[in-house]
Amino acid sequence: MDEQIKFMREALKQAKKAYRLGEVPIGCVIVQDHKIIARGYNRRNTDKITLAHAEISAIKKASKKTGDWRLEDCTMYVTLEPCQMCAGAIVQARIKEVVIGCMNPKAGCAGSILNLLQMQEFNHQVEITRGILEEECSEILSRFFKELRERRKKKKLTTKRLILRPWLETDAESLYKYAKDPEVGPIAGWPPHTSVENSREIIKNVLSVNETYAVCLKEDGKAIGSIGLMIGNASNLDLPDTEGEIGYWIGVPFWGEGLIPEAVTELLRHGFCDLKLEKIWCGYFEGNTKSKRVQEKCGFVYHHTNKNIHWELMDDVRTEHITCLTREEWEKSREEVKGYE
């Protein structure tokens, strides 16, 4: 029992990684000869891949570690009862035993809805142990969904002049109005929008992701730009899950009014205070002096330059300057501002 508790705590550590990404907090470890050989956590929304469940990720890593698809002498510890996909993969991998934290009455396939792990019709049955650290595994899920409901109720950020809210398909006309301008997209790394329908598709497939906001004036609520915080793998910078990258643009009629620095300042607060990030990155392409000034105003510090990179969205070669702001630097700058007030 002590060993089961020990390894389930390791699975919970993986679940907490998913939690920080805004993913349903499910974690998993695979143990062989009393040692962890693979870890995994839920990344389905982050990676935009159906297969990115904790168990599948751990199975892939374990197979790579052992050099074999058969994991017959391995035990899996998972914080939540596996779904039908993961249960099937566990059987296919010939895993000896699965130790489960808490059950999943709505979708679990290790005894709740059905028990795929022990079907006699299959050529392999899996031993099951349930209820290890059940309360802790259940609590992190309950807390996640409670916070998710609260975020959905108030999922907008505000500044003195702006509302930052999720994009809606009804914003398509407003988005097209500003995003069709060739002065806006190309210098930020994306092609001008070609129609209202094109803008609507981009809202559905690109701008609807978590932590991406329409920049709207408080006076009329219409979208005039966009800002987003891409966390971990969602960034182009290959970041860990404790770091994020800010991207932004605003329509030409609103250039020079300080609106994007205002929006970036609020997103920095949100990233460091609400999302508990340790570091936030930003960047601008060579020649984009407006974006450079925004980052300087908001406290970002030059970090490095990527020269002659192929930018797929525009199919061209560019030089990109990367800047960064740590939590400590941000907190220090806030204290300095307070000191002058």
Coordinates of all heavy atoms in Angstrom, one line a residue, residues 234-286:
A234 N 1.6 25.5 -26.8 CA 0.8 26.4 -27.7 C 1.6 27.5 -28.3 O 1.2 28.0 -29.3 CB -0.4 27.0 -26.9
S235 N 2.8 27.8 -27.7 CA 3.7 28.8 -28.2 C 4.6 28.3 -29.3 O 4.8 27.1 -29.4 CB 4.5 29.4 -27.1 OG 5.6 30.1 -27.6
N236 N 5.1 29.2 -30.2 CA 6.0 28.8 -31.2 C 7.4 28.7 -30.6 O 8.4 28.3 -31.3 CB 6.0 29.8 -32.3 CG 4.8 29.9 -33.1 OD1 4.2 28.8 -33.4 ND2 4.2 31.1 -33.4
L237 N 7.6 29.0 -29.3 CA 8.9 29.2 -28.7 C 9.4 27.9 -28.0 O 10.4 28.0 -27.3 CB 9.0 30.4 -27.8 CG 8.7 31.7 -28.5 CD1 8.7 32.9 -27.5 CD2 9.7 32.0 -29.6
D238 N 8.6 26.8 -28.0 CA 8.9 25.6 -27.3 C 9.1 25.9 -25.8 O 10.2 25.6 -25.2 CB 10.2 25.0 -27.9 CG 10.4 23.6 -27.4 OD1 9.5 22.9 -27.0 OD2 11.6 23.1 -27.4
L239 N 8.1 26.4 -25.2 CA 8.2 26.8 -23.8 C 7.7 25.7 -22.8 O 6.9 24.8 -23.2 CB 7.3 28.0 -23.5 CG 7.6 29.2 -24.4 CD1 6.6 30.4 -24.1 CD2 9.1 29.7 -24.2
P240 N 8.2 25.7 -21.6 CA 7.6 24.8 -20.6 C 6.2 25.3 -20.2 O 5.8 26.4 -20.5 CB 8.6 24.9 -19.4 CG 9.2 26.3 -19.6 CD 9.3 26.5 -21.0
D241 N 5.5 24.5 -19.4 CA 4.1 24.8 -19.1 C 4.0 25.9 -18.1 O 2.9 26.4 -17.9 CB 3.4 23.6 -18.5 CG 3.3 22.4 -19.5 OD1 3.4 22.7 -20.8 OD2 3.3 21.3 -19.2
T242 N 5.1 26.4 -17.5 CA 5.0 27.5 -16.5 C 5.3 28.8 -17.2 O 5.4 29.8 -16.5 CB 6.1 27.3 -15.4 OG1 7.4 27.1 -16.0 CG2 5.7 26.1 -14.6
E243 N 5.4 28.8 -18.5 CA 5.7 30.0 -19.3 C 4.8 30.2 -20.4 O 4.1 29.3 -20.9 CB 7.2 30.0 -19.8 CG 8.2 29.9 -18.7 CD 9.6 29.8 -19.2 OE1 9.9 30.1 -20.4 OE2 10.6 29.4 -18.4
G244 N 4.6 31.5 -20.9 CA 3.7 31.8 -22.0 C 4.3 32.8 -22.9 O 5.3 33.5 -22.6
E245 N 3.6 33.0 -24.0 CA 4.0 34.0 -25.0 C 2.8 34.9 -25.4 O 1.7 34.3 -25.7 CB 4.5 33.3 -26.3 CG 4.9 34.3 -27.4 CD 5.1 33.6 -28.8 OE1 4.9 32.3 -28.8 OE2 5.4 34.3 -29.7
I246 N 3.0 36.2 -25.4 CA 1.9 37.1 -25.7 C 2.1 37.5 -27.2 O 3.2 37.8 -27.7 CB 2.0 38.4 -24.9 CG1 1.5 38.1 -23.5 CG2 1.2 39.5 -25.5 CD1 1.5 39.3 -22.5
G247 N 0.9 37.5 -27.9 CA 0.8 38.0 -29.3 C -0.3 38.9 -29.4 O -1.3 38.8 -28.6
Y248 N -0.2 39.9 -30.3 CA -1.3 41.0 -30.3 C -1.2 41.7 -31.7 O -0.2 41.6 -32.4 CB -1.1 42.0 -29.2 CG 0.4 42.5 -29.2 CD1 0.8 43.5 -30.0 CD2 1.3 42.0 -28.2 CE1 2.1 44.0 -30.0 CE2 2.6 42.5 -28.2 CZ 3.0 43.4 -29.1 OH 4.3 43.9 -29.1
W249 N -2.4 42.3 -32.0 CA -2.4 43.3 -33.1 C -3.7 44.1 -32.9 O -4.6 43.8 -32.1 CB -2.5 42.6 -34.5 CG -3.7 41.7 -34.7 CD1 -3.9 40.4 -34.5 CD2 -5.0 42.2 -35.2 NE1 -5.2 40.0 -34.8 CE2 -5.9 41.1 -35.2 CE3 -5.5 43.4 -35.6 CZ2 -7.2 41.2 -35.7 CZ3 -6.8 43.5 -36.1 CH2 -7.6 42.4 -36.1
I250 N -3.7 45.3 -33.5 CA -4.9 46.1 -33.5 C -5.1 46.9 -34.8 O -4.1 47.0 -35.6 CB -4.7 47.2 -32.3 CG1 -6.1 47.8 -32.0 CG2 -3.7 48.2 -32.7 CD1 -6.0 48.6 -30.6
G251 N -6.3 47.2 -35.1 CA -6.6 47.8 -36.4 C -5.9 49.2 -36.6 O -5.7 49.9 -35.6
V252 N -5.6 49.5 -37.8 CA -4.8 50.7 -38.1 C -5.4 52.0 -37.6 O -4.7 52.9 -37.1 CB -4.6 50.9 -39.7 CG1 -4.0 52.2 -40.0 CG2 -3.7 49.7 -40.2
P253 N -6.8 52.2 -37.6 CA -7.3 53.4 -37.1 C -7.0 53.7 -35.6 O -7.2 54.8 -35.1 CB -8.8 53.3 -37.3 CG -9.0 52.3 -38.4 CD -7.8 51.3 -38.2
F254 N -6.6 52.6 -34.9 CA -6.3 52.8 -33.4 C -4.8 52.8 -33.1 O -4.5 52.7 -31.9 CB -7.1 51.6 -32.7 CG -8.5 51.6 -33.1 CD1 -9.0 50.7 -34.0 CD2 -9.4 52.4 -32.4 CE1 -10.3 50.7 -34.4 CE2 -10.8 52.4 -32.8 CZ -11.2 51.5 -33.8
W255 N -4.0 52.8 -34.1 CA -2.6 52.9 -33.8 C -2.2 54.2 -33.1 O -2.8 55.3 -33.4 CB -1.8 52.8 -35.1 CG -1.8 51.4 -35.7 CD1 -2.4 50.3 -35.3 CD2 -1.1 51.0 -36.9 NE1 -2.2 49.2 -36.1 CE2 -1.4 49.6 -37.1 CE3 -0.2 51.6 -37.8 CZ2 -0.8 48.9 -38.2 CZ3 0.3 50.9 -38.9 CH2 0.0 49.6 -39.0
G256 N -1.3 54.2 -32.3 CA -0.8 55.4 -31.6 C -1.6 55.9 -30.4 O -1.3 56.9 -29.9
E257 N -2.6 55.1 -30.0 CA -3.5 55.5 -28.9 C -3.2 54.8 -27.6 O -3.8 55.0 -26.6 CB -5.0 55.3 -29.3 CG -5.5 56.1 -30.5 CD -6.9 55.9 -30.7 OE1 -7.6 55.4 -29.8 OE2 -7.4 56.3 -31.8
G258 N -2.1 54.0 -27.6 CA -1.7 53.3 -26.4 C -2.7 52.2 -26.0 O -2.6 51.7 -24.8
L259 N -3.5 51.7 -26.9 CA -4.5 50.7 -26.5 C -3.9 49.3 -26.3 O -4.2 48.5 -25.4 CB -5.6 50.6 -27.5 CG -6.5 51.9 -27.6 CD1 -7.4 51.8 -28.8 CD2 -7.3 52.0 -26.3
I260 N -2.9 48.9 -27.2 CA -2.3 47.6 -27.1 C -1.4 47.6 -25.9 O -1.4 46.6 -25.1 CB -1.5 47.2 -28.4 CG1 -2.5 46.8 -29.4 CG2 -0.5 46.1 -28.1 CD1 -3.3 45.5 -29.1
P261 N -0.6 48.6 -25.6 CA 0.1 48.5 -24.3 C -0.8 48.4 -23.1 O -0.5 47.6 -22.1 CB 0.9 49.9 -24.2 CG 1.1 50.2 -25.6 CD -0.1 49.7 -26.4
E262 N -2.0 49.0 -23.1 CA -2.9 48.8 -22.1 C -3.4 47.4 -22.0 O -3.6 46.9 -20.9 CB -4.1 49.8 -22.4 CG -5.1 50.0 -21.3 CD -6.1 51.0 -21.6 OE1 -5.8 52.1 -22.0 OE2 -7.3 50.8 -21.3
A263 N -3.7 46.8 -23.1 CA -4.2 45.4 -23.2 C -3.1 44.4 -22.7 O -3.3 43.5 -21.9 CB -4.6 45.0 -24.6
V264 N -1.8 44.7 -23.2 CA -0.7 43.8 -22.8 C -0.5 43.9 -21.3 O -0.2 42.9 -20.6 CB 0.6 44.2 -23.5 CG1 1.8 43.5 -23.0 CG2 0.4 43.9 -25.0
T265 N -0.6 45.1 -20.7 CA -0.4 45.3 -19.3 C -1.4 44.4 -18.5 O -1.0 43.8 -17.5 CB -0.5 46.8 -18.9 OG1 0.5 47.5 -19.5 CG2 -0.4 47.0 -17.4
E266 N -2.6 44.4 -18.9 CA -3.6 43.6 -18.2 C -3.4 42.1 -18.4 O -3.6 41.3 -17.5 CB -5.0 43.9 -18.7 CG -6.2 43.1 -18.2 CD -6.3 43.0 -16.7 OE1 -5.7 43.8 -16.0 OE2 -7.0 42.1 -16.2
L267 N -2.9 41.7 -19.6 CA -2.7 40.3 -19.9 C -1.5 39.8 -19.1 O -1.4 38.7 -18.6 CB -2.5 40.0 -21.3 CG -2.8 38.6 -21.8 CD1 -4.3 38.2 -21.4 CD2 -2.6 38.4 -23.3
L268 N -0.5 40.7 -18.8 CA 0.6 40.4 -18.0 C 0.2 40.1 -16.5 O 0.6 39.1 -15.9 CB 1.7 41.5 -18.0 CG 2.5 41.6 -19.3 CD1 3.3 42.9 -19.2 CD2 3.4 40.4 -19.4
R269 N -0.7 41.0 -16.1 CA -1.3 40.8 -14.7 C -2.0 39.5 -14.6 O -1.8 38.7 -13.7 CB -2.2 41.9 -14.4 CG -2.8 41.8 -12.9 CD -4.2 42.5 -12.8 NE -5.2 41.8 -13.7 CZ -5.7 40.6 -13.4 NH1 -5.4 40.0 -12.3 NH2 -6.6 40.1 -14.3
H270 N -2.8 39.2 -15.6 CA -3.6 37.9 -15.7 C -2.6 36.7 -15.7 O -2.9 35.7 -15.0 CB -4.5 37.9 -16.9 CG -5.2 36.7 -17.1 ND1 -6.1 36.1 -16.2 CD2 -5.2 35.8 -18.2 CE1 -6.6 35.0 -16.7 NE2 -6.1 34.8 -17.9
G271 N -1.6 36.8 -16.5 CA -0.7 35.7 -16.6 C 0.1 35.4 -15.4 O 0.2 34.3 -14.9
F272 N 0.6 36.5 -14.7 CA 1.4 36.3 -13.5 C 0.6 36.0 -12.3 O 0.9 35.2 -11.4 CB 2.3 37.5 -13.3 CG 3.5 37.6 -14.3 CD1 3.7 38.7 -15.0 CD2 4.3 36.5 -14.5 CE1 4.8 38.8 -15.9 CE2 5.4 36.5 -15.4 CZ 5.6 37.7 -16.1
C273 N -0.5 36.7 -12.1 CA -1.4 36.6 -10.9 C -2.4 35.5 -11.0 O -2.5 34.7 -10.0 CB -2.1 38.0 -10.7 SG -1.0 39.3 -10.2
D274 N -3.1 35.4 -12.1 CA -4.2 34.4 -12.2 C -3.7 33.1 -12.6 O -4.1 32.0 -12.1 CB -5.3 34.9 -13.1 CG -5.9 36.2 -12.7 OD1 -5.9 36.6 -11.5 OD2 -6.4 37.0 -13.6
L275 N -2.8 33.1 -13.6 CA -2.3 31.8 -14.2 C -1.0 31.3 -13.5 O -0.6 30.2 -13.8 CB -2.2 31.9 -15.7 CG -3.4 32.4 -16.5 CD1 -3.1 32.5 -17.9 CD2 -4.6 31.4 -16.2
K276 N -0.4 32.1 -12.7 CA 0.8 31.8 -11.9 C 1.9 31.4 -12.8 O 2.8 30.5 -12.5 CB 0.5 30.6 -11.0 CG -0.8 30.7 -10.1 CD -0.7 32.0 -9.2 CE -1.9 32.0 -8.4 NZ -2.0 33.3 -7.6
L277 N 2.1 32.1 -14.0 CA 3.2 31.9 -14.8 C 4.5 32.4 -14.2 O 4.4 33.4 -13.5 CB 3.0 32.5 -16.2 CG 1.8 31.9 -17.0 CD1 1.6 32.6 -18.3 CD2 1.9 30.4 -17.2
E278 N 5.6 31.8 -14.6 CA 6.9 32.3 -14.1 C 7.6 33.3 -15.0 O 8.4 34.1 -14.6 CB 7.8 31.1 -13.8 CG 7.3 30.1 -12.7 CD 7.2 30.8 -11.4 OE1 8.1 31.7 -11.1 OE2 6.3 30.5 -10.6
K279 N 7.3 33.1 -16.3 CA 7.9 34.0 -17.3 C 7.0 34.1 -18.5 O 6.3 33.2 -18.9 CB 9.2 33.3 -17.7 CG 10.2 34.1 -18.6 CD 11.4 33.3 -18.9 CE 12.3 33.0 -17.7 NZ 13.6 32.4 -18.1
I280 N 7.0 35.3 -19.1 CA 6.2 35.6 -20.3 C 7.1 36.2 -21.4 O 7.9 37.1 -21.1 CB 5.0 36.5 -20.0 CG1 4.1 35.9 -19.0 CG2 4.3 36.9 -21.3 CD1 2.9 36.7 -18.6
W281 N 7.0 35.6 -22.5 CA 7.8 36.0 -23.7 C 7.0 36.8 -24.7 O 5.8 36.8 -24.7 CB 8.3 34.8 -24.4 CG 9.2 33.9 -23.5 CD1 8.8 33.0 -22.6 CD2 10.6 33.8 -23.5 NE1 9.8 32.4 -22.0 CE2 11.0 32.9 -22.5 CE3 11.6 34.5 -24.2 CZ2 12.3 32.6 -22.3 CZ3 12.9 34.2 -24.0 CH2 13.3 33.2 -23.0
C282 N 7.7 37.5 -25.5 CA 7.0 38.2 -26.6 C 8.1 38.3 -27.8 O 9.2 37.9 -27.6 CB 6.6 39.6 -26.2 SG 5.2 40.3 -27.1
G283 N 7.7 38.9 -28.9 CA 8.6 39.0 -30.0 C 8.1 39.9 -31.1 O 6.9 40.2 -31.1
Y284 N 9.0 40.3 -32.0 CA 8.6 41.1 -33.1 C 9.5 40.9 -34.3 O 10.7 40.5 -34.1 CB 8.6 42.6 -32.8 CG 9.9 43.2 -32.3 CD1 10.8 43.7 -33.2 CD2 10.3 43.1 -31.0 CE1 12.0 44.2 -32.8 CE2 11.6 43.6 -30.6 CZ 12.4 44.1 -31.5 OH 13.6 44.6 -31.1
F285 N 9.0 41.0 -35.5 CA 9.8 40.8 -36.7 C 10.6 42.1 -37.0 O 10.2 43.2 -36.7 CB 8.9 40.4 -37.8 CG 8.3 39.1 -37.7 CD1 6.9 38.9 -37.6 CD2 9.1 37.9 -37.6 CE1 6.3 37.7 -37.5 CE2 8.5 36.7 -37.5 CZ 7.1 36.5 -37.4
E286 N 11.7 41.9 -37.6 CA 12.6 43.0 -38.0 C 11.7 44.0 -38.8 O 11.0 43.7 -39.7 CB 13.7 42.5 -38.9 CG 14.7 43.5 -39.3 CD 15.6 43.9 -38.2 OE1 16.0 43.0 -37.4 OE2 16.0 45.1 -38.1

